[in-house]
Amino acid sequence: MAIIDRKSNNEKRNKRIAKNTTLMFLRMLLLTIINLYTVRFVLKGLGVIDYGIFNAVAGVVTSASFISAVLALSIQRFFSIALGQEDEERLKTIFSASLNIIIILSITIIILFETVGLWFVSTQMTIPAERMTTAISLYQCSIFVFFFSLLQIPFTAIIFSHEDMGVYAIISTVDSLLRLALAVIITKISIDHLVFYSIGLLVESGVVSLLYIWKGGKYEECHYTKTKDKILYQHLLQFSGWTMFGSLANMGMNQGNTILINLFFGPISNMAFAIAMQISNAFNALSNSMVLSFRPAMMKAYAQEDFLYVTKLFNFSNKITYYILCSIGLPIIVEMRTILYVWLGRADEETIYFAQLMIVFTFLLALNNPITTIVEATGRIKEYHVAVESITLLTIPITWILFKSGFPSYIVFFVMINICITAHIVRLLCLKRAFILFSYKQYFVSFLLPAIAITALGVSLALIIQNTTNGILHFILIFFLLPSAVLGLSYLWGLKNKEKSILLQLINKRNSRYVRSAN
């Protein structure tokens, strides 16, 4: 009887995951279009120099954004485990404890930003003297934007844990639309665009945070009560601490390199790196959206000791995420020059190289998310992060040495890519130690080998199209035939029969819905 109930629960989970995956994918397509236009208007409104200043100065604060990500994932993990164990009282205690931690942490971080951070921006960064006052105003606004992002964490975490992706999709879309509206406005006004944009982002982030608090606060467990559960505080802080170490390494690959590029090459190269980061953010958001559909279900299944289902979700999430990214990314890499010109009205060589290499790096980075999810579910994260991030943190000193030795700016991406590959091998070793059901052979044969073959065939097809066609035919083949071929090969070679059945059920279900709507 228990086996039948578990099978029924897994079928319900599969339907929910399929629904959420489709919803998050559609959300990301919409948000990607909105965000691309937003960057274009921001670049037009601010200009090259101010856009570089904005990303460099705001990047000092954004460098601490890994704290928000760490807390969100850590709190979500504890919520998901409690939901899997159906412990309602535990949920209420987790919410109150996490809110206390965030309030204390926010005060501490603001003090650090207003002292050490302010000194760094004022004395160490390469900023034109006539724009220093504006840069300081931007910096102050960025601090409180970061504060709002911290405040909303417990509420977004409970939304994710309940797998209520519709709420998240709506609010995140509102967030992007408000940012697009703000970007359009700065191209029309006559006052200082950078100051206006900074204040506008502050107001916009406050509105979005209130929306998350309003919607998340409707769950029964989101009511504050005093809690003195020292063991819970200890577990939350320990888990967050080791996860924070991991995010610190990612910050080094992103915001740390932003600062290094500013110090060695100045605002123009900063602008190229910022544009590449915008493209990377779009791909990372798509990858994370796919994982968000699987993550809560994997956590809950692990809490219920349904390890075979955890394994199935791990394998399927790897494939779905990578193949979708590959089908979208390859055409963009091939036509990056044209895309940048249409998008931004300019396409210099440095920006093209940055953007292309950043997409390759994002492909590799996406492979880490399902691994991290299982390790976090086991709770054995200390060994994982110490081993992985000790390698990942080498990015900053290696990049600094190469810049000092006279290498060009784009060498940073070759460092990032090689470090990422090395770290991924270590992640797999750690996964085996934490989750005994993981199989190296299955991972290589079922996922990695087909993924490499499909990617190689996709690249070959792209090169053939690139060298033999032009005009409208070239456009059709690159943006329609190439992704269709990658997805077709992914379906035929990349998915097992059961995985194909799940995918076909989703497609048939959505087609039936459209037919009913039409009738």
Side-chain angles (χ1 to χ4, degrees), residues 24 27 31 95 148-160 164-176 179 204-219 222 292:
M24 297 300 283
R27 164 192 168 271
L31 262 58
F95 173 78
F148 285 131
S149 72
L150 286 176
L151 195 61
Q152 72 192 34
I153 285 174
F155 302 93
T156 55
I158 197 64
I159 290 171
F160 288 140
D164 196 353
M165 299 307 178
V167 170
Y168 173 67
I170 292 172
I171 297 178
S172 59
T173 301
V174 170
D175 184 10
S176 292
R179 288 175 181 265
E204 184 270 341
S205 64
V207 171
V208 171
S209 293
L210 289 174
L211 288 175
Y212 279 119
I213 292 170
W214 171 56
K215 293 301 294 186
K218 292 186 176 183
Y219 291 104
C222 286
L292 282 175

Side-chain angles (χ1 to χ4, degrees), residues 119-130:
W119 165 82
F120 183 81
V121 171
S122 301
T123 63
Q124 302 300 305
M125 298 198 73
T126 305
I127 299 171
E130 66 274 12

Side-chain angles (χ1 to χ4, degrees), residues 343-367:
W343 174 29
L344 303 174
R346 50 178 293 158
D348 60 273
E349 294 300 320
E350 185 178 45
T351 305
I352 293 170
Y353 291 151
F354 276 24
Q356 290 173 326
L357 291 170
M358 183 63 87
I359 293 177
V360 174
F361 170 71
T362 307
F363 279 12
L364 299 172
L365 200 63
L367 303 180

Side-chain angles (χ1 to χ4, degrees), residues 461-470 473-474 477:
L461 179 59
L463 292 174
I464 292 172
I465 296 172
Q466 182 78 0
N467 294 324
T468 60
T469 63
N470 52 57
L473 176 62
H474 178 83
L477 293 178

Side-chain angles (χ1 to χ4, degrees), residues 377-440:
T378 68
R380 299 178 62 177
I381 60 170
K382 178 180 178 180
E383 176 186 343
Y384 177 73
H385 284 301
V386 168
V388 171
E389 314 313 346
S390 296
I391 296 172
T392 306
L393 282 172
L394 293 174
T395 302
I396 296 178
I398 292 175
T399 301
W400 182 84
I401 291 170
L402 292 175
F403 281 170
K404 266 288 191 179
S405 301
F407 281 84
S409 56
Y410 57 80
I411 197 67
V412 63
F413 293 100
F414 290 98
V415 176
M416 292 164 65
I417 288 170
N418 283 282
I419 288 290
C420 188
I421 293 172
T422 305
H424 187 74
I425 296 172
V426 176
R427 290 177 194 273
L428 294 176
L429 296 172
C430 292
L431 177 60
K432 181 63 177 178
R433 291 175 64 88
F435 187 64
I436 195 66
L437 288 184
F438 172 71
S439 168
Y440 296 119

Side-chain angles (χ1 to χ4, degrees), residues 197-236:
Y197 188 57
S198 305
I199 296 173
L201 287 178
L202 174 60
V203 174
E204 184 270 341
S205 64
V207 171
V208 171
S209 293
L210 289 174
L211 288 175
Y212 279 119
I213 292 170
W214 171 56
K215 293 301 294 186
K218 292 186 176 183
Y219 291 104
E220 183 178 350
E221 56 266 31
C222 286
H223 295 284
Y224 181 80
T225 57
K226 289 185 178 180
T227 177
K228 297 181 180 179
D229 189 340
K230 293 182 180 180
I231 295 177
L232 175 59
Y233 281 113
Q234 181 180 356
H235 287 169
L236 277 168

